[in-house]
Amino acid sequence: MTTHLTPATAAPAATGFPDLYPSRGATEVTVPRQDPVVWGAPDAPGPFEPLDLHAFERDGFATVDALLTDDEVAVYRRELDRLVADPAIRADDRSIVEPASQEIRSVFEVHRISEVFARLVRDERVVGRARQILGSDVYVHQSRINVKPGFGASGFYWHSDFETWHAEDGLPRMRTVSVSIALTENHDTNGGLMIMPGSHKTFLGCAGATPKDNYKKSLQMQDAGTPSDEALTTMASEYGIRLFTGRAGSATWFDCNCMHGSGDNITPFPRSNVFIVFNSVENAAMEPFAAPVRRPEFIGARDFTPVR
């Protein structure tokens, strides 16, 4: 059963900051969004046009069909391949491997271990859009490359990123945006991103306590922070599901509270992308709202230096 809460029922967290979005309790709860979606002025200068920001406000996402040129994609693909093939990177805690195949699934903090991806983070086409949406300077809360090789790479189950970032990293407000930039063709069959349009307007607080070191399991297979089948059915019936396809070099920007996921890739065609999470410098992480310990900094940054 899902309980409906209003801000008046939200209890203060151990951080001393009111917990506007309670989660990981005895029951699943829903809370209306208490924060803006687009924090910046609609006519603020930047790569997004006002109509793009309006669509982002309404749907929770915006797409850019050709963020990168073919030549740029080739540079980032080579760097992704280099990182995945590097034994030192594979042995690093920042690399997550598939449980079955033992192939690399994700490499975190790529903007710190690769100057090539650091330049992408600083690219005005990328960080400029984050500043427009969040209405402030931004820092990188998380970055990673996701690798979905063909023939069985597993997907990411339905979830709201903010639910995890709030519960386990201590982000107090919904002032965070992600961009997924395709480095391979995103077909409708190779495990592409799915989002429920409009789901960003309602927070779903999941039931169940957060185990210590939950990240070690959740980065391979989500458990804590997973919505119930009942809640997902209700949300999908209300919002529908949008599947994102596109050429290499296309990008999808999406709000931190979008309900999203992706399926397994059982095709021969790999799907790889670079994933960057920008958080407002005015929304710096506190102590976790619903977890016994912080996650490692390579997953939830504690360096709030603005991207320049």
Side-chain angles (χ1 to χ4, degrees):
M1 178 179 292
T2 301
T3 303
H4 302 276
L5 295 181
T6 64
T9 62
T15 60
F17 188 91
D19 187 357
L20 301 179
Y21 302 106
S23 191
R24 312 289 175 97
T27 60
E28 202 168 54
V29 299
T30 58
V31 180
R33 186 185 184 109
Q34 304 301 305
D35 294 307
V37 177
V38 175
W39 292 72
D43 57 352
F48 272 139
E49 297 294 333
L51 285 178
D52 299 322
L53 293 175
H54 176 73
F56 189 91
E57 163 74 33
R58 180 192 64 224
D59 299 327
F61 58 81
T63 58
V64 178
D65 292 334
L67 182 74
L68 303 179
T69 66
D70 291 343
D71 288 344
E72 289 174 316
V73 168
V75 170
Y76 295 118
R77 277 293 305 277
R78 284 195 298 270
E79 182 66 355
L80 180 149
D81 291 342
R82 183 189 72 81
L83 292 173
V84 171
D86 186 339
I89 296 294
R90 182 182 179 85
D92 194 290
D93 286 344
R94 289 173 286 195
S95 291
I96 310 301
V97 300
E98 288 279 352
S101 69
Q102 292 299 296
E103 292 188 80
I104 286 183
R105 174 189 179 100
S106 301
V107 179
F108 281 81
E109 217 171 35
V110 289
H111 71 296
R112 292 195 180 278
I113 62 178
S114 164
E115 178 54 34
V116 173
F117 284 115
R119 289 197 301 270
L120 179 62
V121 166
R122 298 192 297 266
D123 190 312
E124 187 61 23
R125 294 171 296 177
V126 177
V127 70
R129 285 181 164 90
R131 294 190 189 108
Q132 279 182 283
I133 292 170
L134 302 181
S136 69
D137 279 333
V138 299
Y139 71 93
V140 176
H141 176 70
Q142 184 187 106
S143 72
R144 67 178 185 261
I145 48 174
N146 288 332
V147 184
K148 266 195 177 180
F151 301 115
S154 56
F156 292 86
Y157 197 67
W158 290 105
H159 64 286
S160 154
D161 287 328
F162 179 76
E163 192 277 339
T164 296
W165 298 337
H166 181 71
E168 300 187 38
D169 296 338
L171 296 192
R173 309 297 293 264
M174 293 182 183
R175 200 171 180 180
T176 315
V177 65
S178 301
V179 58
S180 176
I181 304 171
L183 300 182
T184 55
E185 182 85 10
N186 279 229
H187 303 286
D188 58 3
T189 52
N190 64 342
L193 174 69
M194 296 181 287
I195 294 179
M196 297 185 187
S199 59
H200 62 303
K201 297 293 184 71
T202 300
F203 175 75
L204 181 64
C206 299
T210 309
K212 186 178 180 181
D213 292 339
N214 178 57
Y215 77 93
K216 293 180 179 178
K217 179 180 179 183
S218 67
L219 296 179
Q220 293 181 324
M221 185 174 294
Q222 188 87 359
D223 187 9
T226 301
S228 68
D229 291 353
E230 176 190 35
L232 289 172
T233 300
T234 298
M235 295 182 79
S237 298
E238 179 175 355
Y239 301 119
I241 297 173
R242 166 82 181 271
L243 171 66
F244 292 86
T245 59
R247 61 176 288 275
S250 61
T252 303
W253 293 82
F254 57 101
D255 179 81
C256 59
N257 191 46
C258 283
M259 188 62 65
H260 67 288
S262 64
D264 296 350
N265 182 13
I266 61 172
T267 76
F269 309 114
R271 176 183 174 266
S272 299
N273 69 320
V274 56
F275 183 79
I276 307 165
V277 180
F278 294 101
N279 188 40
S280 169
V281 296
E282 299 171 13
N283 190 45
M286 301 178 173
E287 291 304 311
F289 282 80
V293 294
R294 299 176 180 180
R295 298 197 299 175
E297 290 198 27
F298 68 80
I299 299 174
R302 296 282 162 171
D303 179 353
F304 311 131
T305 305
V307 176
R308 300 294 187 201

